[in-house]
Amino acid sequence: MPQRTRVWSPKEVPVGAAIAILGLWAALVPLIGPYFSFGFDTSSTWDFSEAHITLSLIPGIGAIVGGLSLARPTQGLGNLGRILAALCGLWLLIGPVLHQVWDGGFGPAATTDWKRALLWIGYFYGVGFLITYLAGVARGLVTMRQRVQETQVAEPQFERTVTEG
């Protein structure tokens, strides 16, 4: 069985940069969100609570590292970056639900339903989905594949030539 290798492509640079920017957003939004009235569970800025660290800061830093390693032309780091970005995006999707198991009082501190929904999407679900989707794009899992139609081809006819000599 022939071994298949993956070569780095410059097309991964914008995907890696987008993942890194989304990771930066995920890591910083709990710390600076209260400045513009977008605080999730607190109204104080630069508050490093356990929920912020485990649900936003760690996966955000992981997505930054994964995105930056995707943008570099090193083969081994690209695969590691894809996996790391996908895992961090998945943690942003499922982490808040699992966090309620060990800390039941976790939730957005918003007065209206619309703001609560925007906080969930802006902090976790929207960012996690985009990071996971972009990691899949970088891996080639969600790209359109070209369908090739099989056709019958006649056997090639070879002529024999005899040379005198």
Side-chain angles (χ1 to χ4, degrees):
M1 179 183 249
Q3 187 177 5
R4 205 175 113 193
T5 60
R6 182 172 168 86
V7 179
W8 178 82
S9 169
K11 293 179 182 178
E12 291 181 342
V13 172
V15 175
I19 290 173
I21 290 169
L22 286 167
L24 185 66
W25 169 263
L28 288 181
V29 73
L31 304 174
I32 64 170
Y35 279 127
F36 47 94
S37 190
F38 201 67
F40 190 78
D41 60 342
T42 183
S43 61
S44 60
T45 57
W46 298 97
D47 181 21
F48 288 95
S49 68
E50 181 269 336
H52 292 162
I53 293 170
T54 57
L55 297 177
S56 294
L57 197 61
I58 292 173
I61 291 171
I64 292 168
V65 170
L68 292 178
S69 64
L70 250 174
R72 294 192 50 188
T74 308
Q75 253 182 328
L77 286 180
N79 286 331
L80 178 66
R82 287 180 201 93
I83 293 169
L84 184 61
L87 289 175
C88 290
L90 289 172
W91 180 251
L92 284 169
L93 288 171
I94 64 171
V97 176
L98 293 177
H99 190 270
Q100 292 178 4
V101 172
W102 70 80
D103 182 18
F106 180 73
T111 56
T112 65
D113 291 337
W114 278 105
K115 182 146 185 190
R116 253 182 259 129
L118 287 175
L119 286 171
W120 281 111
I121 293 169
Y123 270 68
F124 303 110
Y125 300 128
V127 180
F129 167 76
L130 287 174
I131 290 173
T132 306
Y133 174 76
L134 289 173
V137 166
R139 184 72 182 130
L141 298 176
V142 289
T143 56
M144 294 290 290
R145 298 184 186 256
Q146 189 176 18
R147 185 174 182 188
V148 179
Q149 184 176 358
E150 292 183 27
T151 58
Q152 293 262 336
V153 179
E155 290 291 323
Q157 302 296 322
F158 296 105
E159 286 186 30
R160 277 192 155 170
T161 57
V162 178
T163 58
E164 292 180 28

